[in-house]
């Protein structure tokens, strides 16, 4: 039996509405924290840091740099990839590289750890090798990864963004405690007072 002409546009409209609803449902299932390119001005801030800031390049194991921050204590953090756990505001990325200018403190706390020689420096391995601490030059570089394999690959790759360095090359030896935190950073000092005119 032939379909009446008036029913065809109605069916087409119903099919179009069904497709629109499906598209909305699929879009709502996506990641709420989308990976976006990191702004160049953020990376420029890393280059201007007064100490070497380590990173893994623009991408590592297929994951692009997704965030770069500096905390109030002066440590720089670079995140690679999108959130593994959490969500907006509590994102835990697959790879994180933290450069701390406080070389008198090695993180890890009371967690079981072992030591290894990596690229010429005495490294601390914790969390079953998923966390690697590299004291080098006047900084401490912390690498956090989802697996010991990824952490080891990152330790072999990490280089300063603001100094000459080569992946796999020996790292500079650790310096004695630089006393970071015992004196104010230049940006923490108040501006000089001018005598009244």
């Amino acid at each position: 039996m032939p379909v009446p002409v008036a029913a065809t546009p109605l069916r087409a409209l119903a099919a179009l509405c069904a497709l629109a609803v499906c598209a909305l449902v699929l879009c709502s299932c996506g990641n709420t924290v989308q990976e976006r390119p990191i702004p160049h001005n953020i990376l420029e801030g890393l280059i201007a840091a007064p100490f070497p800031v380590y990173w893994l390049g623009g991408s590592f194991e297929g994951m692009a740099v997704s965030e770069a921050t500096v905390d109030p204590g002066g440590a720089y953090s670079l995140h690679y990839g999108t959130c593994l756990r959490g969500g907006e505001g509590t994102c835990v990325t697959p790879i994180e590289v933290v450069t701390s200018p406080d070389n008198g403190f090695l993180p890890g706390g009371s967690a079981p750890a072992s030591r290894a020689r990596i690229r010429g420096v005495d490294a601390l391995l914790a969390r079953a090798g998923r966390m690697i601490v590299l004291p080098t030059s006047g900084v401490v570089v912390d690498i956090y990864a989802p697996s010991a394999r990824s952490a080891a690959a990152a330790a072999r790759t990490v280089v300063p963004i603001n100094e000459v360095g080569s992946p796999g090359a020996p790292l500079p030896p650790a310096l004695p405690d630089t006393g970071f935190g015992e004196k104010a950073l230049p940006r923490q000092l108040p501006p000089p007072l001018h005598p009244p005119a």
Side-chain angles (χ1 to χ4, degrees), residues 30-36 67 81-83 86-91 93:
N31 186 355
T32 58
V33 181
Q34 297 296 320
E35 189 171 330
R36 296 177 195 93
E67 185 179 4
T82 56
C83 298
E88 223 165 312
T90 59
C91 179
T93 55

Side-chain angles (χ1 to χ4, degrees), residues 138-156:
V139 300
V140 175
V141 180
D142 308 324
I143 298 169
Y144 302 91
S147 70
R149 185 204 56 77
S150 287
R156 289 188 302 270

Side-chain angles (χ1 to χ4, degrees), residues 193-197:
L193 296 175
H194 298 287

Side-chain angles (χ1 to χ4, degrees), residues 44-167:
E44 290 167 1
L46 302 175
I47 293 169
F51 52 85
V53 175
Y54 284 79
W55 77 324
L56 301 168
S59 66
F60 178 73
E61 295 185 344
M63 295 174 284
V65 174
S66 55
E67 185 179 4
T69 59
V70 60
D71 72 22
Y76 288 83
S77 299
L78 283 114
H79 300 263
Y80 289 81
T82 56
C83 298
L84 286 177
R85 294 185 309 256
E88 223 165 312
T90 59
C91 179
V92 178
T93 55
I95 303 285
E96 181 179 4
V97 177
V98 179
T99 304
S100 174
D102 184 358
N103 69 341
F105 169 74
L106 293 178
S110 61
S114 59
R115 298 204 177 269
R117 193 96 172 133
I118 299 176
R119 294 175 61 188
V121 299
D122 292 322
L124 178 74
L125 284 69
R127 298 182 186 168
R130 296 186 318 268
M131 175 184 168
I132 298 177
V133 180
L134 299 166
T136 178
S137 187
V139 300
V140 175
V141 180
D142 308 324
I143 298 169
Y144 302 91
S147 70
R149 185 204 56 77
S150 287
R156 289 188 302 270
T157 306
V158 72
V159 293
I161 191 172
N162 53 349
E163 290 183 1
V164 176
S166 178

